[in-house]
Amino acid sequence: IGSVSENIRQLTKLIDFRINDNSFNGTIPDAIQFCQELEILDFSHNDLSGTLPSGLFKLSTLQYFYLRANSFTGSISEDIGQLTKLIHLLVDENKFNGTIPNSIGLCQDLEKLHLQESGLHGTLPDGLYDLMNLQDLYLDRNDFSGTISERIGDMTGLLDLR
């Protein structure tokens, strides 16, 4: 059992950071923002908790973002829209609260969006229907309400909707 050190700020050339399937605990340090070349971040299946630091949303080269099966809380920031190169966003099985940010629609390259069993609620934002490259959309086991927009019919690339 251990945590992610603030000294990751020194890994400025890091491209691939995978510590999935371990027993790391604590929070993600805001110093992650100094890993400006990061394309893959996989912290899935650990014991990490706390809120997502604002530094995460400054990783403009991030393409694969996996935080599955941890205990993160708080909301998913509107700043998620700054991660415009994202292809996979898998943050399911956490303890978030709040809604899906409308700015998710700015992540035009997204192919996989897994939000199931993550403590989210509210209505589905209009921005969600702007994700024309989306193939997998997992929303199950949350507390969403309202209607699914007729714009879902424009998302013709969807292969798996739960």
Side-chain angles (χ1 to χ4, degrees):
I1 296 180
S3 60
V4 182
S5 169
E6 285 283 339
N7 286 340
I8 61 169
R9 75 177 61 245
Q10 297 169 355
L11 305 178
T12 58
K13 294 181 174 146
L14 191 65
I15 294 171
D16 190 339
F17 191 3
R18 298 183 212 203
I19 56 169
N20 53 299
D21 298 301
N22 283 290
S23 297
F24 290 106
N25 60 17
T27 60
I28 298 175
D30 201 45
I32 193 85
Q33 68 185 302
F34 296 105
C35 301
Q36 283 294 302
E37 303 297 318
L38 210 53
E39 295 176 2
I40 302 168
L41 178 67
D42 190 350
F43 289 2
S44 296
H45 298 275
N46 277 288
D47 296 318
L48 297 169
S49 59
T51 59
L52 301 182
S54 60
L56 271 177
F57 305 106
K58 295 176 182 172
L59 299 174
S60 61
T61 57
L62 197 59
Q63 297 173 34
Y64 300 93
F65 187 11
Y66 306 116
L67 297 178
R68 305 182 70 208
N70 280 287
S71 295
F72 291 109
T73 57
S75 61
I76 299 173
S77 171
E78 280 287 338
D79 292 339
I80 194 78
Q82 294 176 28
L83 302 179
T84 57
K85 296 191 181 203
L86 276 182
I87 297 171
H88 291 177
L89 176 60
L90 282 61
V91 295
D92 49 291
E93 298 180 48
N94 277 289
K95 298 176 181 176
F96 296 116
N97 56 40
T99 60
I100 301 173
N102 191 52
S103 64
I104 196 73
L106 299 173
C107 302
Q108 290 289 303
D109 293 335
L110 260 183
E111 294 176 358
K112 295 184 185 292
L113 178 58
H114 293 191
L115 300 172
Q116 74 271 22
E117 200 176 334
S118 55
L120 298 171
H121 59 84
T123 59
L124 302 180
D126 288 337
L128 185 65
Y129 304 103
D130 293 332
L131 300 173
M132 293 301 149
N133 291 313
L134 206 57
Q135 297 172 5
D136 292 1
L137 176 58
Y138 296 178
L139 302 171
D140 50 310
R141 292 171 282 156
N142 281 292
D143 195 23
F144 294 119
S145 58
T147 59
I148 296 177
S149 169
E150 61 188 37
R151 291 184 58 209
I152 193 83
D154 297 333
M155 301 172 77
T156 57
L158 268 179
L159 303 174
D160 199 352
L161 175 60
R162 303 176 188 187

